[in-house]
Amino acid sequence: LRTNAAAYYQDYSKIQRFVAVDNPSNIAVVNAAGAKIPGGEIEVILVPVSGLSLSASLSVIKPKYKSFVTASGDFTSNRLAQVPEKQFTIGAHYTLPVPASVGEIRLGADYYHQSEVYFTDTTQGPAFGPDASQKQAGYGLLNLKADWDHIGGSNIGASLYVQNALAEKYLTYGVILYPSLGFNSATVGDPRVFGFELRYSW
């Protein structure tokens, strides 16, 4: 059993942020007066039997602007963009007890979850469209993978994997156009992806 833990507190002065001056395409870099960023992380790895590894991690962060006033407005109460307050992962990986002449076969599953995030620092509130269009709600991704290295004692390896196995629908980033064009847009995350890799080592 191995456990790692950390706690931290950052007092950040003059954070540089991108701010839309008068329309979404006219961007300027400004200094926010400052922010406080407390947080903590813990990671646990357990090997209960030979070949099996179980892992879990949790991260909690509570970032907040102490003051963020620009010519475009007062954003002091806004949350830092693209920073989920909570993230956790769980994983299981198992190496099959097969003879060396067969190779090395590993099976693994990992699940990642994060809480909601806003897309930008300065577009949060009723003036910027429906709340759901300004952010991504919390979501989770499940990834599965099977590796077979040194197949039959050779230098050849192969992998089968499924990313986003549960076909979770999520957004990776958004652009707030509501004040000028009446809508917001976003980039969609990858759907369920099946993959195969073939490797040769020398």
Side-chain angles (χ1 to χ4, degrees), residues 26-177:
N26 188 9
I27 304 297
V29 179
V30 301
N31 287 330
K36 55 181 180 180
I37 308 174
E41 302 173 356
I42 186 169
E43 176 188 38
V44 178
I45 300 175
L46 174 66
V47 182
V49 295
S50 179
L52 177 61
S53 176
L54 305 176
S55 62
S57 67
L58 173 66
S59 173
V60 178
I61 181 172
K62 297 285 187 178
K64 183 179 180 180
Y65 288 112
K66 293 189 295 184
S67 179
F68 188 3
V69 181
T70 74
S72 301
D74 185 353
F75 310 115
T76 300
S77 61
N78 287 10
R79 291 167 48 180
L80 272 67
Q82 299 294 339
V83 181
E85 290 190 352
K86 296 179 181 178
Q87 300 176 78
F88 73 83
T89 64
I90 55 176
H93 298 84
Y94 183 60
T95 301
L96 299 180
V98 297
S101 59
V102 174
E104 298 175 6
I105 302 177
R106 297 182 303 277
L107 305 177
D110 293 283
Y111 180 78
Y112 165 81
H113 187 275
Q114 70 169 48
S115 59
E116 67 177 20
V117 292
Y118 279 92
F119 295 133
T120 69
D121 298 280
T122 58
T123 54
Q124 301 171 22
F128 302 100
D131 187 62
S133 71
Q134 304 169 28
K135 65 183 181 183
Q136 168 59 52
Y139 68 93
L141 299 176
L142 174 65
N143 298 319
L144 308 173
K145 191 174 185 181
D147 295 303
W148 188 1
D149 288 323
H150 307 294
I151 298 174
S154 69
N155 292 334
I156 299 174
S159 298
L160 285 172
Y161 62 86
V162 184
Q163 295 178 340
N164 191 8
L166 302 179
E168 181 76 12
K169 296 180 180 179
Y170 64 101
L171 307 174
T172 59
Y173 188 72
V175 178
I176 308 302
L177 303 171

Side-chain angles (χ1 to χ4, degrees), residues 16-35:
Q16 290 189 331
R17 287 292 183 261
F18 292 96
V19 176
V21 178
D22 50 21
N23 63 71
S25 62
N26 188 9
I27 304 297
V29 179
V30 301
N31 287 330

